[in-house]
Amino acid sequence: MAGRLSFSNITALAPMVRVGTLPMRLLALDYGADVVYSEELIDIKMVQCRRVENEVLQTVDFVAPDDRVMFQTCAKEKQRVVFQMGTADPDRALAVARLVQKDVAAIDVNMGCPKEYSTKGGMGAALLSDPDKIEAILRKLVGGVAVPVTCKIRILPSLEDTLTLVRRIEKTGVAAIAVHGRFKDERPRHPVHCDYIRGVAGALSVPVVANGGSLDLVKSYDDIRAFKEATGASSVMLARAAMWNPSVFRSAGPLPLHDVMIQYLTYALRYDNHAFNSKYCLCQMLRDKVESALGKRVQAAQSNRELSEAYGLEELFQQTQAELEARRDALLSPERRRGDVIAMDGDVTTMALKFQRREYPPQLTPKMFLLEWSRRQKMEQPTYQTVQRAQDRAFQSTVTVQDRKYRSSLWEKSKKFAEQASAVVCLRALGIPEGRAGEENVERLHKRKMEDTCNADEDKRKKKQVMNDDGSL
Ligand code: FNR
């Protein structure tokens, strides 16, 4: 088993909301970061998540009740990823830490973020004025999980107060303290107070991770050493410098931004990252070029396909999609592939299946089969209720037949397909032919449909004839 993550003499990707998602973390690791922090994730949301092993993407997903993936990680970063949490509640913090600890290298508590989403409810920088709460949270975590626990603070108005706080924090048993060398009310444009970080580093025996140097101190890998010297800290954490160009972690020097963006997008496609998140990160890298021709295309993109097109990566997009699809298919057993495994979700009968258009003759669909069958049974027409989820705009439909509900647990790209999938579930659950090519009575129905069409044409022709006979034309 690998040892505990050390925070001594490391360079880290700092926690950044929206930026620190899986593709950015993997890219930073590729370029040489030793440790990567997740974006801050709020305990109230995380505690409701369930842990799902995503076999297709080969990730571990923490999924909220509304099916949004709040945190996604994978084996490649397991020994190096720090899960950063926003919390003001020791018990809830522990519950979340226990939920994720198997999949991450350490747990960090955000005590520095001055933004409202973090400070409301006493989280983030609000904790700095409540050292008892800080101590309670950290003690609970240190005593309750097997991975190292750390925290990230801002400095207090006086060095003396800052030192009193960090000494108290150190006693809780944390593995490291990251210090963003700015006061709570200071903005990112204010110069960083290296002297405060130096004071903290000199006062503690646990590793101190210096942060806040992106604006005017750290432009390239060589500056990281200079920032360590200026602060006396053994470790450094970079936020904006890495957000603007993650190859800042490369000891051989940064790469051209265009290459970096392509590598970022390659990870984003591979892990099916949400297009709006990828777009946000790419816009941060484009920075002042966001109004260029490329920048405008990136801003206008609504999907991973359109983002790929902006960079001329259509082929990579197709290939990645095909690989994911092939993995999806390979994972399904013959029964599951046919979707024959029934599960109840409340009062809804479900199967995990996708509508495969190519399995049906051109003019027949499962929906038509279900309608035809209901008519023959003198039942009411089936009704379809479809929902669309926010994160990828996929659809799921539930069909009701004689007060019983049926749906596929898999989501479809279009409303039409979602309805067809729910019809397939209903037909299979009831053991009724569904119209697939080669099925026994498909040919018969197909023939009947052709006959119906011919008859309708014949009727039309006759009507016209009648009109002609009447001389009414
Ligand atoms: C941040 N920062 C931040 N800090 C934190 O503890 N948790 C978070 O989720 C975030 N989110 C975040 C998003 C974005 C877009 C930025 C730019 C920053 C603060 C960040 O980690 C760091 O402390 C500061 O940016 C200062 O470091 P640099 O930028 O000078 O290296």
Side-chain angles (χ1 to χ4, degrees):
M1 204 180 105
R4 280 162 73 87
L5 181 65
S6 162
F7 287 84
S8 184
N9 206 17
I10 57 138
T11 306
L13 173 72
M16 280 182 278
V17 165
R18 295 183 79 185
V19 176
T21 47
L22 185 60
M24 182 62 89
R25 299 198 303 264
L26 293 177
L27 195 56
L29 285 174
D30 282 354
Y31 289 141
D34 302 298
V35 172
V36 287
Y37 282 65
S38 73
E39 59 180 329
E40 178 192 47
L41 292 148
I42 306 296
D43 61 353
I44 297 179
K45 289 190 187 151
M46 280 303 298
V47 84
Q48 300 176 30
C49 289
R50 59 185 198 282
R51 180 184 181 278
V52 177
E53 287 184 20
N54 185 329
E55 292 174 285
V56 175
L57 295 180
Q58 296 164 329
T59 55
V60 175
D61 300 348
F62 291 87
V63 185
D66 64 359
D67 276 342
R68 276 179 57 189
V69 177
M70 302 304 297
F71 174 58
Q72 183 169 56
T73 183
C74 67
K76 201 170 170 191
E77 66 168 3
K78 189 173 173 181
Q79 312 297 336
R80 311 231 161 228
V81 64
V82 181
F83 175 88
Q84 193 195 52
M85 185 183 339
T87 186
D89 182 303
D91 292 321
R92 204 157 46 223
L94 181 60
V96 173
R98 284 190 169 152
L99 175 70
V100 300
Q101 66 165 330
K102 205 172 105 184
D103 301 296
V104 300
I107 308 280
D108 182 77
V109 179
N110 182 354
M111 302 183 176
C113 186
K115 297 265 171 67
E116 206 211 324
Y117 60 74
S118 194
T119 53
K120 74 174 175 217
M123 298 183 291
L127 280 172
L128 294 174
S129 39
D130 193 350
D132 290 343
K133 180 71 71 61
I134 290 181
E135 194 178 326
I137 293 170
L138 293 177
R139 281 198 188 283
K140 192 111 202 182
L141 288 175
V142 170
V145 294
V147 290
V149 174
T150 61
C151 67
K152 176 167 175 275
I153 62 162
R154 279 191 178 225
I155 52 176
L156 298 180
S158 80
L159 179 59
E160 212 187 324
D161 288 345
T162 309
L163 293 182
T164 307
L165 177 68
V166 292
R167 286 197 180 105
R168 198 167 165 189
I169 290 176
E170 185 177 36
K171 286 206 189 93
T172 64
V174 291
I177 302 181
V179 183
H180 177 190
R182 287 192 179 84
F183 305 122
K184 199 165 107 180
D185 312 322
E186 284 186 319
R187 301 293 94 208
R189 67 186 140 81
H190 290 118
V192 59
H193 301 272
C194 290
D195 51 336
Y196 273 64
I197 305 180
R198 175 171 284 283
V200 174
L204 302 186
S205 39
V206 289
V208 168
V209 186
N211 172 241
S214 280
L215 193 64
D216 36 26
L217 298 176
V218 185
K219 303 276 173 234
S220 69
Y221 183 81
D222 289 341
D223 300 331
I224 294 175
R225 191 163 11 97
F227 189 44
K228 279 187 191 174
E229 278 161 18
T231 57
S234 81
S235 296
V236 165
M237 171 190 270
L238 300 178
R240 286 165 297 166
M243 172 176 83
W244 295 325
N245 186 342
S247 70
V248 69
F249 292 110
R250 274 184 96 235
S251 56
L255 293 170
L257 205 54
H258 198 80
D259 297 353
V260 175
M261 289 192 287
I262 285 181
Q263 284 170 358
Y264 173 84
L265 202 47
T266 305
Y267 268 133
L269 296 178
R270 158 66 185 83
Y271 287 99
D272 201 17
N273 197 43
H274 194 294
F276 289 0
N277 181 253
S278 307
K279 180 166 137 172
Y280 180 80
C281 293
L282 289 166
C283 284
Q284 302 307 314
M285 289 187 226
L286 282 160
R287 262 181 108 184
D288 50 351
K289 294 192 183 55
V290 84
E291 291 305 323
S292 65
L294 172 64
K296 282 184 179 149
R297 287 195 72 178
V298 171
Q299 287 189 71
Q302 295 294 312
S303 63
N304 281 331
R305 177 195 295 275
E306 286 172 17
L307 279 176
S308 309
E309 284 164 4
Y311 288 86
L313 295 177
E314 295 91 337
E315 218 169 283
L316 178 72
F317 175 79
Q318 301 290 0
Q319 189 189 321
T320 314
Q321 290 296 107
E323 278 165 18
L324 293 179
E325 199 57 45
R327 213 178 295 147
R328 199 172 284 130
D329 274 0
L331 281 165
L332 295 179
S333 64
E335 293 76 25
R336 275 175 76 189
R337 200 171 300 153
R338 270 181 38 84
D340 285 353
V341 180
I342 294 181
M344 292 306 292
D345 181 358
D347 62 344
V348 186
T349 301
T350 73
M351 293 181 185
L353 60 82
K354 290 262 201 184
F355 173 58
Q356 307 290 349
R357 184 72 194 90
R358 61 180 178 277
E359 289 184 4
Y360 300 85
Q363 296 179 30
L364 293 180
T365 64
K367 262 183 90 176
M368 285 165 51
F369 256 73
L370 184 58
L371 181 64
E372 174 88 10
W373 178 81
S374 324
R375 279 190 187 142
R376 266 187 274 124
Q377 304 296 314
K378 312 243 176 308
M379 292 178 346
E380 271 182 32
Q381 223 170 286
T383 54
Y384 294 83
Q385 209 181 9
T386 307
V387 291
Q388 188 180 23
R389 67 182 173 191
Q391 83 251 34
D392 58 1
R393 301 179 174 185
F395 295 86
Q396 191 177 50
S397 188
T398 304
V399 61
T400 306
V401 176
Q402 281 224 306
D403 293 334
R404 285 179 188 268
K405 296 184 180 132
Y406 305 87
R407 76 163 158 254
S408 169
S409 54
L410 304 184
W411 293 68
E412 295 276 3
K413 291 238 152 59
S414 75
K415 183 171 180 253
K416 250 193 215 165
F417 272 39
E419 288 181 353
Q420 296 294 358
S422 66
V424 174
V425 172
C426 175
L427 291 162
R428 285 191 195 171
L430 298 175
I432 305 161
E434 66 197 61
R436 266 186 306 183
E439 240 174 34
E440 214 180 281
N441 54 358
V442 170
E443 301 309 325
R444 214 173 341 118
L445 196 93
H446 187 59
K447 206 166 145 230
R448 177 140 33 106
K449 186 149 171 58
M450 295 306 282
E451 281 167 10
D452 287 351
T453 315
C454 292
N455 289 343
D457 287 350
E458 181 65 13
D459 283 353
K460 263 192 227 155
R461 206 178 51 76
K462 276 186 188 154
K463 254 188 212 158
K464 209 170 159 191
Q465 188 67 47
V466 171
M467 277 153 68
N468 281 336
D469 291 350
D470 284 353
S472 54
L473 242 185

